[in-house]
Amino acid sequence: MSITPEEKQLNDAIAIAADVHRGQVRDLPDGRPYLCHVMDVMNHVPAQDHLARLVAILHDTIEDAAEKNDTDAIKAAKREIVRQKIRAAKFDDAVLIAVEAISHTKKHGSQELSKLAEYLAYVAESVAPNVLATQVKIADNYVNMKDLIAAGVADDVARGRLHKYARSIALLTEKKQGAR
């Protein structure tokens, strides 16, 4: 039995994500392998929206290619390797553009911003202008919220994250409704 070109692309995207996220686990809420998270996000975008599913699987690959302790040069090199893998897979150009837009790899706004304000600036400046990135970020935030609630995590960190994700969804859906 042969697979469709779309199924092959999805398999290729999963392989890239599995390679990047190998050995990574979610810190909150449950310590599952990180690949489970991107699969959950993919399953929260419409099945018929092939490009959005590709972006969902790849949405954290550029951001997570580097480790926190890496130097800026090493981070840049590791992230460029992931970009090259995505280009080599020959997905539609819109996929890499959306993955870049959703990647939170630099500070946004002024240095004086709180973590929440900086995150919302990233969402407004980077994610919101890109329709595919917006669709996937809404699904990503929803999955993050669902996981925190399902795990019953109720400390200050979890409440802060829930608030951050809810504010992001509100910002992205307001932008989306305003564009209609």
Side-chain angles (χ1 to χ4, degrees):
M1 174 184 217
S2 63
I3 63 173
T4 68
E6 289 82 12
E7 290 167 335
K8 181 182 179 333
Q9 282 190 327
L10 192 57
N11 285 342
D12 291 345
I14 292 168
I16 292 168
D19 185 46
V20 169
H21 297 300
R22 182 169 285 110
Q24 296 176 353
V25 295
R26 301 220 40 214
D27 57 343
L28 280 178
D30 56 12
R32 289 183 303 153
Y34 202 87
L35 188 63
C36 296
H37 167 70
V38 296
M39 297 293 288
D40 286 349
V41 174
M42 181 200 68
N43 287 322
H44 280 85
V45 297
Q48 68 276 13
D49 195 336
H50 176 63
L51 293 181
R53 290 172 65 83
L54 294 174
V55 173
I57 286 293
L58 298 167
H59 82 273
D60 280 334
T61 55
I62 293 173
E63 184 176 333
D64 291 350
E67 297 183 32
K68 290 179 182 172
N69 295 334
D70 288 342
T71 65
D72 288 345
I74 291 172
K75 285 179 183 179
K78 287 180 174 179
R79 289 173 175 154
E80 185 54 34
I81 289 168
V82 173
R83 288 180 186 98
Q84 289 172 7
K85 288 179 181 182
I86 293 171
R87 285 185 200 102
K90 298 188 177 163
F91 302 131
D92 188 293
D93 290 343
V95 172
L96 180 56
I97 292 167
V99 172
E100 289 280 8
I102 208 169
S103 296
H104 193 179
T105 57
K106 63 180 181 174
K107 290 286 184 192
H108 290 77
S110 71
Q111 295 292 66
E112 298 83 44
L113 292 178
S114 68
K115 284 186 176 184
L116 174 61
E118 190 280 330
Y119 180 80
L120 294 175
Y122 140 74
V123 170
E125 295 168 14
S126 184
V127 178
N130 185 293
V131 174
L132 274 173
T134 295
Q135 182 180 0
V136 172
K137 191 63 175 173
I138 290 169
D140 179 35
N141 285 327
Y142 171 78
V143 166
N144 288 333
M145 291 175 73
K146 176 184 69 69
D147 289 349
L148 284 168
I149 292 166
V153 180
D155 62 13
D156 288 341
V157 172
R159 281 191 290 277
R161 287 185 180 189
L162 286 169
H163 179 71
K164 174 177 86 169
Y165 301 140
R167 292 279 306 270
S168 172
I169 290 171
L171 188 147
L172 291 170
T173 55
E174 288 169 8
K175 297 261 184 199
K176 202 172 174 182
Q177 288 172 352
R180 290 182 186 173

